[in-house]
Amino acid sequence: KSASTASVVSTTCPYCGVGCGIDVHIANDKQLTELKGSSDHPANFGRLCVKGSKLLETNSPSGRLLSPMIGAKKASWEDAIAQVATKFNQLIAKHGSDSVAFYVSGQLLTEDYYVANKLMKGYIGSANIDTNSRLCMSSAVAAYKRAFGADAVPCCYEDLEQAELLILVGSNAAWTHPVLFQRIERAKKLNPDMQVVTIDPRRTATSELADMHLAIKPGTDVVLFNGLLAYLDNHDAVNTDYITANTQGFEQVINSCKPWTLSQVAQQCDISELELHSFYRLFAKTDKVVTAYCMGVNQSTSGSDKANSIINSHLATGKIGREGCGPFSLTGQPNAMGGREVGGLANMLACHMDIENPEHRQTVQTYWQSPTIANKAGLKAVDLFDNINNGKVKAVWIMATNPMVSMPNRQKIAEALTKCELVVVSDCVAKNDTLDYAHIAFPASCWSEKDGTVTNSERRISRQRGLLPAAGKAKHDWQIICDVAKAMGFENGFDFNSANEIFAEYAGLTKADNQGSRGLDLSGLCNMTETQYNRLKPVQWPVNKQYPDGTKRLFTDGKFYTQSGKAQFVLTDFAAPEQLTNTDFPFVLNSGRVRDQWHTMTRTGKTSELSAHTNRPYLAIHAIDAQRLALKNDDLVSLSAAHFNNKQNRVLLPIVIDNNQRQGEVFAPIHWSASNASSANISALYTDANDKISGQPELKHAAVKLQKV
Ligand code: SF4
């Protein structure tokens, strides 16, 4: 009888962008017995939220996809890989490289993302690889690029604690970034002078901590922040030295903002002039200000402009690049950042290089020694599914995401996947709404098995370590991608034996022809041995000669990644949401998360303990609206949206009367779908409306009507 063994492995939580470190106790190399927050991980210092603390309960083998599937039949890896490779090659030969696409996920590890991007952009020769991160933070990316010249998050989590004024815009951090919120709560307790302002049409759990809550009319954020810029200028609260030394474009932007008076802003945002003035005065007089923003800003047809209007306010006051200051986008997913670093978005190359830039293309192709390189942006998520629908994209490989539930316009996604000649899905679960459309399904390893790195909201790269061998016949996503690449005939670029080999190649690419013009520099992490990679401590990029231990915050020297080295003010004109209410569809539908569920519930839905907080989908409505429609708690209502006045797009939900809603607005959680609660898939009510710059869909503002069932 062999002696029992025990070990503790440090890894990261696979849910939100906080990126908490977790220590897992393993018995006999096969049983996960206990889990705790890592006390030395700089994201959480031992804390975990309820989702993270229940990871072991949701890690059961039940419901796993354990074998490759061709149709409804189990298949060998060889057959499944061969069929995918052959079909991809045939379609590319006949219709060109843009006839195929990948739709990937912020749940993939950086190494998975890297090889998927390499295969599509460097070997297939198309940029048709987009990600569900498009739905999450692409507007924040676009805004950073426009202002700073690179997708570079200026702040770190400590800034949230060091701020004297913390503004949370479109963020219910108490539920969506719980550990970060715990850190903010503690900071406020230690420093009662710290002011917290929440800006959100709904009063949420996050607003409970706030000294001021501005329940602005949905979609009016640009007005609020353009008005702030005008106020700052009128009250000599701009930092002219900083503007002159470190920025460009202020004059044009301030001239466009000047017409916004307090009363006009208050009227447009539908808040009182008094509370607006208090907020503006607070911003003007406070030295250390962080504005953290999330989906309420990003998921909008003007998400990029909203984010830039926030950034403009920080540039105008020099509240950036120092402790407790800066505009700070919070990412939703654990590795949305890692994905965008290696080029997981259709409009980016790799390592923050630009597809449109011939020198960047040359750098990447030379480094990869690849046969080709994509020379134009690929299809962003909404356009991608449009092009599957119109037959231009004939094969799609979906990895670690469930677009049937998460994308807007469910009906169109269903039509597209039905028409598509080849739908391949890689996932760790055996059943979800998207897998129903798969011709071929690849079993992927899950959280406790995957090995690689992720990057959290503060640019911190952490190791996610494999705790157990992959279940059944499951393989890591990077292995599946490399197998398909090799079967397509691309032997040379995909001969990786470990995640470390992929990371080493990626880190090397970040330094190729990088004269400091791209912030993403991992030259200090190149050439790690397997042991060094395994022992890698969480570290914030850039990591290079100048910053061997990583970099807490960016732009401390006032230098940006633009050609001039100066930050750019960006003109941000107010534009109303696209899905507007009218007499037939009088309610604004807002959407978001509940505290203890994650995405489409394929994992968090596995344990009843996480359902205890909110055990069913619902529609929150203000009491006055409910009274007007003669609705009471638990009444079932049918929701239909302005652009989908047909049965398929109706959603049935029970009413919850909740005066934290503004009148005329309703809120429903995003998690439920046909798989777990028929007719409760709220994204079915949102149209394809998306931000013209970022392509991020408007998932917070649909026009709906309610009918009692
Ligand atoms: Fe996981 Fe986010 Fe909770 Fe941390 S805050 S334990 S990363 S879900």
Side-chain angles (χ1 to χ4, degrees):
K1 200 174 173 181
S2 61
S4 65
T5 60
S7 59
V8 180
V9 176
S10 296
T11 185
T12 48
C13 174
Y15 294 130
C16 81
V18 178
C20 295
I22 291 179
D23 295 339
V24 184
H25 294 244
I26 308 171
N28 302 321
D29 293 332
K30 61 181 181 196
Q31 204 181 352
L32 309 184
T33 54
E34 197 187 336
L35 168 154
K36 281 187 182 148
S38 308
S39 56
D40 59 349
H41 196 289
N44 55 319
F45 296 109
R47 300 174 184 90
L48 286 181
C49 78
V50 63
K51 286 192 289 286
S53 65
K54 296 291 171 206
L55 264 166
L56 298 190
E57 286 83 337
T58 58
N59 196 49
S60 68
S62 71
R64 286 289 301 275
L65 180 63
L66 295 172
S67 166
M69 305 290 290
I70 298 178
K73 288 204 175 97
K74 286 184 183 169
S76 68
W77 271 110
E78 292 72 24
D79 287 350
I81 295 275
Q83 282 206 17
V84 171
T86 304
K87 185 71 178 175
F88 265 60
N89 277 342
Q90 284 170 350
L91 290 170
I92 292 164
K94 195 169 171 194
H95 304 284
S97 56
D98 289 336
S99 64
V100 300
F102 297 164
Y103 184 63
V104 302
S105 163
Q107 302 285 311
L108 292 181
L109 304 188
T110 300
E111 291 75 2
D112 304 321
Y113 249 125
Y114 179 84
V115 288
N117 185 53
K118 184 178 181 183
L119 173 57
M120 183 52 79
K121 291 187 182 140
Y123 287 75
I124 291 174
S126 168
N128 281 348
I129 169 169
D130 213 41
T131 158
N132 63 7
S133 301
R134 179 73 57 195
L135 320 182
C136 166
M137 37 78 304
S138 54
S139 290
V141 173
Y144 284 143
K145 281 205 76 167
R146 291 198 296 180
F148 307 149
D151 172 21
V153 180
C155 303
C156 60
Y157 291 161
E158 277 173 37
D159 290 322
L160 297 165
E161 298 163 324
Q162 291 161 339
E164 294 159 345
L165 168 60
L166 173 61
I167 306 163
L168 289 152
V169 194
S171 159
N172 183 9
W175 284 14
T176 58
H177 296 92
V179 164
L180 216 46
F181 188 72
Q182 288 169 26
R183 288 180 62 166
I184 295 166
E185 278 181 316
R186 182 170 174 274
K188 189 159 165 57
K189 206 169 173 185
L190 292 174
N191 174 18
D193 290 338
M194 177 185 182
Q195 296 289 295
V196 175
V197 175
T198 51
I199 298 171
D200 193 321
R202 285 192 310 148
R203 175 171 280 280
T204 63
T206 307
S207 324
E208 298 303 310
L209 186 72
D211 301 279
M212 186 189 300
H213 172 67
L214 300 181
I216 61 170
K217 184 178 168 185
T220 59
D221 315 54
V222 166
V223 175
L224 185 76
F225 283 94
N226 282 358
L228 172 62
L229 204 58
Y231 177 93
L232 295 168
D233 192 49
N234 286 337
H235 292 78
D236 290 330
V238 294
N239 184 337
T240 39
D241 289 346
Y242 189 87
I243 291 170
T244 308
N246 305 303
T247 72
Q248 287 174 323
F250 177 69
E251 280 309 313
Q252 197 190 5
V253 168
I254 193 61
N255 286 336
S256 78
C257 293
K258 269 180 181 158
W260 285 110
T261 63
L262 271 179
S263 68
Q264 281 172 326
V265 174
Q267 194 181 16
Q268 191 80 40
C269 295
D270 196 21
I271 56 176
S272 77
E273 222 173 297
L274 195 66
E275 52 187 348
L276 181 68
H277 192 210
S278 302
F279 168 57
Y280 283 180
R281 205 171 38 212
L282 198 55
F283 192 105
K285 75 171 190 193
T286 310
D287 180 44
K288 292 182 178 179
V289 181
V290 169
T291 307
Y293 48 98
C294 202
M295 299 310 140
V297 166
N298 295 337
Q299 290 181 330
S300 157
T301 43
S302 55
S304 306
D305 277 359
K306 287 179 179 179
N308 277 114
S309 68
I310 291 169
I311 294 170
N312 284 344
S313 306
H314 281 267
L315 291 175
T317 48
K319 290 169 182 169
I320 184 168
R322 53 194 177 90
E323 277 187 9
C325 285
F328 194 174
S329 66
L330 303 177
T331 32
Q333 296 195 80
N335 200 30
M337 282 277 278
R340 59 210 232 205
E341 286 156 13
V342 296
L345 291 164
N347 51 319
M348 297 167 89
L349 213 42
C351 306
H352 290 185
M353 283 182 265
D354 298 318
I355 293 181
E356 297 77 18
N357 183 325
E359 284 169 23
H360 286 181
R361 290 202 301 272
Q362 189 62 52
T363 298
V364 177
Q365 189 176 359
T366 304
Y367 184 82
W368 280 344
Q369 298 180 7
S370 61
T372 181
I373 193 78
N375 61 10
K376 63 178 191 312
L379 296 164
K380 296 173 185 147
V382 169
D383 296 336
L384 170 57
F385 283 93
D386 264 344
N387 277 268
I388 297 174
N389 220 354
N390 68 25
K392 288 186 184 152
V393 172
K394 296 171 190 302
V396 64
W397 183 357
I398 297 165
M399 304 178 203
T401 183
N402 189 3
M404 276 296 296
V405 182
S406 50
M407 281 289 290
N409 200 346
R410 180 187 172 102
Q411 192 62 23
K412 188 192 77 181
I413 306 298
E415 280 167 23
L417 294 181
T418 306
K419 282 181 197 166
C420 194
E421 285 187 34
L422 177 66
V423 178
V424 184
V425 177
S426 302
D427 214 313
C428 58
V429 297
K431 175 139 188 66
N432 67 29
D433 294 37
T434 302
L435 274 158
D436 289 348
Y437 293 84
H439 300 111
I440 295 179
F442 290 138
S445 53
C446 73
W447 162 73
S448 58
E449 301 153 6
K450 286 176 83 70
D451 195 66
T453 55
V454 291
T455 310
N456 73 1
S457 293
E458 58 166 357
R459 288 174 281 106
R460 188 178 298 282
I461 297 168
S462 294
R463 285 282 277 111
Q464 185 169 313
R465 294 181 172 90
L467 310 170
L468 298 170
K473 293 184 178 173
K475 290 187 181 188
H476 301 314
D477 287 281
W478 65 264
Q479 290 175 318
I480 306 170
I481 297 159
C482 290
D483 286 350
V484 170
K486 285 187 253 182
M488 288 178 75
F490 306 128
E491 268 302 327
N492 288 335
F494 298 91
D495 210 10
F496 297 109
N497 295 302
S498 69
N500 180 35
E501 288 181 11
I502 301 170
F503 187 87
E505 186 179 303
Y506 156 52
L509 182 52
T510 66
K511 68 172 185 177
D513 291 333
N514 190 351
Q515 318 301 337
S517 56
R518 304 195 310 271
L520 175 56
D521 179 359
L522 303 183
S523 48
L525 299 178
C526 286
N527 308 320
M528 282 191 288
T529 62
E530 200 72 30
T531 308
Q532 287 169 322
Y533 179 70
N534 283 336
R535 289 186 183 157
L536 180 67
K537 296 271 183 221
V539 63
Q540 288 171 281
W541 61 257
V543 191
N544 52 25
K545 233 183 211 164
Q546 195 181 357
Y547 304 107
D549 299 321
T551 313
K552 265 189 188 177
R553 57 184 69 78
L554 302 179
F555 315 131
T556 49
D557 56 1
K559 291 201 178 68
F560 293 84
Y561 301 122
T562 54
Q563 269 192 347
S564 63
K566 296 191 172 195
Q568 304 295 307
F569 281 91
V570 176
L571 267 178
T572 55
D573 286 333
F574 168 62
E578 220 168 286
Q579 305 168 75
L580 287 176
T581 56
N582 54 40
T583 45
D584 292 332
F585 296 91
F587 284 93
V588 172
L589 173 67
N590 189 1
S591 69
R593 298 185 193 282
V594 299
R595 195 191 69 184
D596 294 351
Q597 295 298 343
W598 177 255
H599 280 194
T600 61
M601 290 171 63
T602 50
R603 287 173 294 171
T604 47
K606 276 176 149 184
T607 166
S608 55
E609 285 165 286
L610 291 179
S611 300
H613 178 262
T614 307
N615 62 7
R616 59 173 190 173
Y618 64 89
L619 186 76
I621 186 169
H622 193 280
I624 292 176
D625 289 327
Q627 193 181 27
R628 204 160 38 79
L629 298 176
L631 293 169
K632 55 185 189 319
N633 274 325
D634 298 329
D635 279 351
L636 201 60
V637 290
S638 158
L639 264 84
S640 49
H643 300 275
F644 303 109
N645 195 12
N646 59 50
K647 209 163 176 236
Q648 291 94 321
N649 287 78
R650 272 168 201 228
V651 167
L652 295 177
L653 290 169
I655 285 292
V656 168
I657 295 174
D658 175 1
N659 285 354
N660 290 321
Q661 295 297 127
R662 286 163 47 97
Q663 285 180 53
E665 294 164 22
V666 289
F667 172 86
I670 59 170
H671 311 286
W672 281 270
S673 67
S675 290
N676 52 39
S678 70
S679 302
N681 184 187
I682 207 73
S683 60
L685 296 171
Y686 290 94
T687 70
D688 292 337
N690 62 84
D691 184 291
K692 302 279 176 296
I693 298 151
S694 70
Q696 182 152 358
E698 186 162 66
L699 287 167
K700 299 278 187 197
H701 202 288
V704 296
K705 71 176 166 194
L706 278 58
Q707 280 168 316
K708 194 170 171 180
V709 177

